Amino acid sequence: MRFHTRKWVKPGDLNANETLFGGRVLAWVDEEAALYSIVQLENKKVVTKYMSEINFMSTARQGDIVEIGIEVVKFGKTSLTLNCEVRNKMTHETIVTVDNIIMVNLDDAGKPKSHGKTKIEFVKDRLAAAKDK
């Protein structure tokens, strides 16, 4: 799994127990899944369709740095299925896992659109290929 994003846990991210609020973590996961999918599918119009069971395994406290990892489980015709892990950057202790996040590629009218992708692509490889043309 590649960990793409880091977040610093600040006072506004805490719940009444002074630990990281689960809703904040889920917002970060949803945003990371969307950004990852937009880059992979080369389309800004991508939405979250589904999140499977969310497993809260530990917590974080103010001042901790957490990192969010995403990996592709499967490419569908109009969708991309991901899994995610959020962990403490310093200890590598897992905070949250989400086994399946389904992101759907949309057309300009907001309808599911085939994306034609079958494998992970890296932007550096796209740029190199465009340069060679």
Side-chain angles (χ1 to χ4, degrees):
M1 180 169 298
R2 300 182 114 196
F3 289 81
H4 301 276
T5 299
R6 294 180 185 143
K7 297 287 188 180
W8 188 15
V9 180
K10 299 179 201 165
D13 302 323
L14 304 178
N15 59 26
N17 197 39
E18 296 187 6
T19 58
L20 182 58
F21 175 56
R24 177 74 70 199
V25 175
L26 294 179
W28 292 342
V29 165
D30 192 35
E31 180 180 37
E32 184 65 18
L35 292 170
Y36 187 90
S37 299
I38 287 166
V39 170
Q40 282 301 307
L41 302 178
E42 299 180 86
N43 180 13
K44 293 179 189 175
K45 295 182 184 263
V46 174
V47 295
T48 307
K49 178 180 178 12
Y50 172 82
M51 275 193 188
S52 68
E53 179 179 305
I54 298 155
N55 189 0
F56 290 91
M57 301 171 77
S58 69
T59 192
R61 302 196 179 282
Q62 183 176 331
D64 286 350
I65 298 168
V66 299
E67 55 186 357
I68 304 168
I70 295 278
E71 67 184 1
V72 175
V73 174
K74 155 180 126 168
F75 284 88
K77 183 178 176 186
T78 63
S79 65
L80 186 59
T81 303
L82 310 169
N83 77 16
C84 178
E85 177 184 355
V86 179
R87 68 184 185 185
N88 183 304
K89 172 66 178 159
M90 305 312 278
T91 66
H92 284 199
E93 185 175 21
T94 299
I95 297 168
V96 173
T97 59
V98 185
D99 289 336
N100 288 292
I101 304 169
I102 299 175
M103 306 300 292
V104 177
N105 191 57
L106 302 178
D107 63 16
D108 289 335
K111 302 292 183 198
K113 171 185 163 185
S114 179
H115 51 68
K117 306 288 183 174
T118 59
K119 64 181 178 141
I120 297 169
E121 296 177 358
F122 297 96
V123 173
K124 66 180 175 69
D125 297 333
R126 285 185 197 143
L127 294 173
K131 203 176 195 183
D132 293 340
K133 288 183 180 180

